[in-house]
Amino acid sequence: MNNALRQEYFAALGLESWVIRGTAAAAVEPREIPVPVVGSAPAAGSALPAARATRQGTAPREAIVAREAGADWRELRARVAACTRCSLSSTRTQTVFGVGNLQAEWLIVGEAPGAEEDRQGEPFVGRAGQLLNSMLRAIGLAREQVFIANVLKCRPPGNRDPAAGEAAECLPYLEQQIALLQPKIMLAVGRISAQNLLRTDVTLGRLRQQVHRFGAAQVPLVVTYHPAYLLRTPTDKRKAWDDLKFAREVCASV
Ligand code: URA
């Protein structure tokens, strides 16, 4: 990517004064990657504390781990489209399976579809999606190169936070997507995504800038701000840029 184009992306990110030296690879100072990290790696496919899921009246988390194991992309997509495992199935327009390159090295995981995503059936198509695209381009990735999914496949009414039981029921779909994709790196965007994937209540601020590991395959997972948050709080875009550079470094080291 040439420098002028890269500067356009920084402008889109609100980082007009950022100066890039050399190539994309050289733009990040080489340094030791601090591999794991915060607590222990989550168990295969684990996402929410079982107790929280149980409180919501759903099956314990462990009981539904690997529920979708063995499904190929086509089968998985069909299962998601027909899913009635939680009450969000009665309020959605359609499920939002995820989109992108099935050979992607990067898996981006957001929270849940919003109104526009519910309408179009594709994640991150609204304003937050535009910013996400700019963030990806800033580290040399086209939207078409990555795979983008959410913790939830259905929109929570009024864009409320996902309930623990909803996330517990839905995460096996994401876990099977990860098993099929075998990404080199996962980027959790936003607190809800990070906390559900890492089974923690630790704040996003404390989860950033570390290499976490997800699931049996111990996929490296990096956490950054949600683009919708960055639209509301542009002063944190610079920290998001640090996270993206960090994630790119981690990916290059895998
Ligand atoms: N926010 C998310 O977390 N995911 C989407 O798909 C859209 C907005």
Side-chain angles (χ1 to χ4, degrees):
M1 177 188 306
N2 71 41
N3 205 37
L5 188 54
R6 188 175 296 275
Q7 289 302 332
E8 266 182 50
Y9 299 145
F10 290 129
L13 273 170
L15 297 172
E16 294 87 347
S17 60
W18 203 271
V19 177
I20 294 299
R21 279 178 248 107
T23 63
V28 180
E29 297 294 316
R31 65 185 161 90
E32 190 93 356
I33 307 281
V35 184
V37 175
V38 187
S40 56
S46 59
L48 277 175
R52 283 173 64 195
T54 307
R55 254 201 328 273
Q56 297 283 321
T58 63
R61 184 78 196 102
E62 285 70 16
I64 53 177
V65 159
R67 192 184 63 208
E68 309 303 331
D72 62 13
W73 282 110
R74 191 189 165 99
E75 171 65 19
L76 190 62
R77 187 179 284 277
R79 288 187 197 176
V80 168
C83 184
T84 55
R85 289 188 175 269
C86 81
S87 63
L88 296 182
S89 60
S90 61
T91 51
R92 72 185 180 217
T93 303
Q94 59 190 311
T95 56
V96 179
F97 180 76
V99 71
N101 190 324
L102 301 186
Q103 266 80 49
E105 294 185 344
W106 287 68
L107 171 61
I108 317 300
V109 183
E111 175 180 332
E116 199 51 40
E117 290 76 19
D118 175 68
R119 241 189 312 274
Q120 295 191 32
E122 182 170 330
F124 284 103
V125 289
R127 277 187 72 220
Q130 298 304 311
L131 180 55
L132 178 65
N133 294 346
S134 299
M135 291 165 70
L136 293 172
R137 283 196 302 260
I139 51 167
L141 292 169
R143 181 176 169 98
E144 297 71 29
Q145 271 177 278
V146 305
F147 195 89
I148 306 175
N150 285 307
V151 168
L152 291 193
K153 305 297 188 221
C154 296
R155 180 191 182 211
N159 295 342
R160 63 161 168 74
D161 286 355
E166 292 161 357
E169 288 295 349
C170 211
L171 272 159
Y173 296 127
L174 180 63
E175 286 153 7
Q176 186 58 13
Q177 288 178 307
I178 294 165
L180 292 167
L181 194 63
Q182 297 187 302
K184 270 176 81 174
I185 186 162
M186 292 169 63
L187 182 69
V189 296
R191 176 182 66 83
I192 299 284
S193 168
Q195 290 182 341
N196 276 287
L197 293 173
L198 298 171
R199 301 183 69 176
T200 182
D201 289 331
V202 172
T203 62
L204 183 136
R206 287 184 48 216
L207 294 172
R208 294 176 53 240
Q209 293 288 308
Q210 307 195 47
V211 184
H212 307 271
R213 299 275 168 178
F214 182 85
Q218 295 280 281
V219 182
L221 185 155
V222 171
V223 172
T224 192
Y225 294 98
H226 195 287
Y229 166 83
L230 293 173
L231 287 170
R232 296 190 302 271
T233 318
T235 46
D236 275 344
K237 284 181 177 175
R238 199 165 285 269
K239 286 198 236 168
W241 170 234
D242 289 339
D243 297 338
L244 293 170
K245 284 187 298 179
F246 178 68
R248 186 175 57 180
E249 250 185 281
V250 172
C251 186
S253 75
V254 174

